[in-house]
Amino acid sequence: RIMIAIGIGANSSATSADIDAAISSAHKTMSNHATPIATLSNAPFEVAAQKAAQNINTRLTTFTPEALAKRNADCQTTSERTLARFGVASIAEASALVAAGQNSRLILPRIVCGSVTAAAAISADHTESPL
C-alpha cells in the first residue's frame, strides 16, 4: 500500500493552530495526499498535534526518540538542538520517514511554519511523485 506521511516537530509554545498551519502547508505541497501525521512520543506539543490531526480526520502516530534516530542518515536537515536533546537529526523528517515505513524516502524536506516544522515521506513501493 502506498502511503505518504507528514512528520511534525515543534517547540513547547506551539498551539494546535500553529500545527494546523504547518500540516496545511505540507498538505498543499503534497496535493492533499498525506496521511497519517507523526511525531515524537511524549512531545510537549503532543496534545496540540492530536487536535490538529483530528481537525483533518486523520490519526497522530508517535515514535520514541530511539525509533526516530534510526532514520537520522535519511534526514536532509539537522537541528543541532534536537540532535543534542533527543539524538534525532530532525523530528519532522524522521517522524515522516518512520511513519511511511522501511526504506521510505523524503519527498518534502523540513519546512518551517513559525514554531512548527513539517516534512513528508513516501513509502518505498511508490515509484511516481505525487506532485
Side-chain angles (χ1 to χ4, degrees), residues 11-104:
N11 64 35
S12 58
S13 68
T15 65
S16 59
D18 295 335
I19 295 171
D20 282 341
I23 292 170
S24 176
S25 181
H27 259 252
K28 286 177 189 161
T29 303
M30 305 282 64
S31 303
N32 295 316
H33 289 345
T35 186
I37 308 301
T39 196
L40 175 72
S41 56
N42 300 312
F45 55 87
E46 188 173 339
V47 171
Q50 182 68 51
K51 183 176 180 187
Q54 288 171 347
N55 287 344
I56 59 166
N57 297 314
T58 193
R59 68 188 188 279
L60 176 70
T61 305
T62 61
F63 299 100
T64 65
E66 295 79 17
L68 296 180
K70 290 178 182 176
R71 295 303 299 265
N72 278 352
D74 300 313
C75 291
Q76 291 182 18
T77 63
T78 299
S79 163
E80 294 302 327
R81 187 180 71 83
T82 301
L83 192 59
R85 186 169 177 192
F86 301 106
V88 179
S90 167
I91 289 174
E93 291 180 357
S95 294
L97 287 161
V98 173
Q102 189 173 14
N103 300 318
S104 58

